[in-house]
Amino acid sequence: MKKQINTTEAIFPMPVLMIATYNEDSTVDVMNAAWGMMLERDRIVLNLTETHKTVKNIKERKAFTVSLADASHVKEADYFGMVSGNNTKDKFEKSGLTATKSDIVDAPIINEFPICMECEFIEYQDEEYGCGVIGKIIRVTAEESILKDGNVEISLLNAIAFDPYTHGYYAIGSRVGEAFKDGLELKK
């Protein structure tokens, strides 16, 4: 029997996305965002309010990067979600992480996160049912250490997911099935 619980954030897992931009003084800004997803094959949507320093930067620079946080950097990822760039000028520097400027968009790539999407800003939707930031993915890069036969191997990525029920982070990694194959048995 199911029992009503007190949450509306009931989708799990929620990705732990690291959104990186440049501030007006060209220092690096990074925020932790769990409310993001693919909109189309080369479009990403981030449900972020305009009060975030990162959104202001995205609108100004017309670019951002999105990295998937991994278990090796859970402390830094959590820090980026706890501290606002509006209040802490040297937020990125305090994390101890490093960044490289993308050569195709005006945004930083966080070196320590193993996969990164470099994005151009398309639009910001702020109406009642607006999505927030929408971007076009221009390039995806991944560390060779997480690739197998040219594809990202999720078990090597060791990405983390946010649990809105208990506010925990969980490593994602065990393969439990084959998409578009396991269900064929039920089609007979």
Side-chain angles (χ1 to χ4, degrees), residues 14-29:
M14 295 175 84
V16 180
L17 305 174
M18 299 291 102
I19 317 304
T21 61
Y22 284 119
N23 292 313
E24 58 278 348
D25 63 359
S26 296
T27 58
V28 175
D29 172 70

Side-chain angles (χ1 to χ4, degrees), residues 35-107:
W35 292 38
M37 62 181 217
M38 298 302 300
L39 185 61
E40 294 181 27
R41 285 201 179 275
D42 66 345
R43 303 283 193 274
I44 190 165
V45 62
L46 306 170
N47 190 348
L48 305 174
T49 64
E50 289 181 291
T51 59
H52 292 289
K53 176 70 172 155
T54 304
V55 173
K56 294 173 189 169
N57 292 343
I58 289 170
K59 291 170 94 175
E60 179 67 28
R61 297 283 187 143
K62 307 294 186 215
F64 59 98
T65 61
V66 178
S67 297
L68 300 179
D70 62 338
S72 299
H73 300 95
V74 69
K75 175 178 65 176
E76 295 86 350
D78 191 47
Y79 170 74
F80 291 138
M82 295 170 50
V83 178
S84 170
N86 286 318
N87 305 322
T88 306
K89 279 279 203 204
D90 56 352
K91 175 179 169 178
F92 182 71
E93 187 178 298
K94 285 184 176 184
S95 76
L97 300 183
T98 61
T100 302
K101 183 174 182 1
S102 166
D103 61 355
I104 60 170
V105 298
D106 188 15

Side-chain angles (χ1 to χ4, degrees), residues 5-11 35 164-165:
I5 58 176
N6 294 324
T7 186
T8 57
E9 302 169 359
I11 295 178
W35 292 38
Y165 298 106

